[in-house]
Amino acid sequence: MYPEHPPHVPAQRAVEVHQPTPYPPAAPVSAPLVPVQPNAVPAVASIVLPDGRVVTGYAINPVQPEPVMVKPAVSRTAVNVALGGAGFLAVCGGLLLLTSFIAALTAFITQLIILAAVIFGGWIAVQIFSANGHRNAGTTVNIRRAVFKRNKFHG
């Protein structure tokens, strides 16, 4: 009724085990190395091992650690805030001088206007009240002695 292997159980297979072949430890050999050209593609270096094998590859320079950044004694933000405050104080001083200058200029112009009004008004008063008898403007009316009899004018 049941098959030899049920469908949900996989069939067993033979297991193959591979063991790596160990190499004998290599003694330090002073084999000639090909020098590496700076700022160019490194040359391929070949080393002949004592057992006759040749190992070829690129020479790898050791990785240099990143230099540690030294923090300044004063932060840049503090310097910027201080410079901004100094600039603000300079601007406030300039604005104070500017407002003082504008107030002085306004007072000077006001005094000039008052002086012009006084001089012009004096000139007009002299023209009106002068004793020259020189009057060119206006209408001259001569009044003669008139006789009024019984509410009638006889001229």
Side-chain angles (χ1 to χ4, degrees), residues 5-10:
H5 295 287
H8 63 278
V9 177

Side-chain angles (χ1 to χ4, degrees), residues 137-144:
T139 305
T140 303
V141 177
N142 294 324
I143 299 176
R144 295 186 302 187

Side-chain angles (χ1 to χ4, degrees), residues 12-93:
Q12 301 226 350
R13 296 187 181 171
V15 177
E16 296 178 13
V17 177
H18 296 281
Q19 294 293 332
T21 306
Y23 289 111
V29 177
S30 60
L33 295 176
V34 178
V36 177
Q37 315 297 336
N39 298 330
V41 177
V44 177
S46 297
I47 299 175
V48 179
L49 297 177
D51 61 354
R53 291 179 294 158
V54 177
V55 178
T56 305
Y58 293 104
I60 298 175
N61 294 332
V63 177
Q64 298 292 330
E66 291 281 330
V68 178
M69 296 294 290
V70 178
K71 289 188 178 181
V74 180
S75 71
R76 290 183 183 189
T77 305
V79 171
N80 288 339
V81 168
L83 289 176
F88 182 73
L89 287 176
V91 167
C92 287

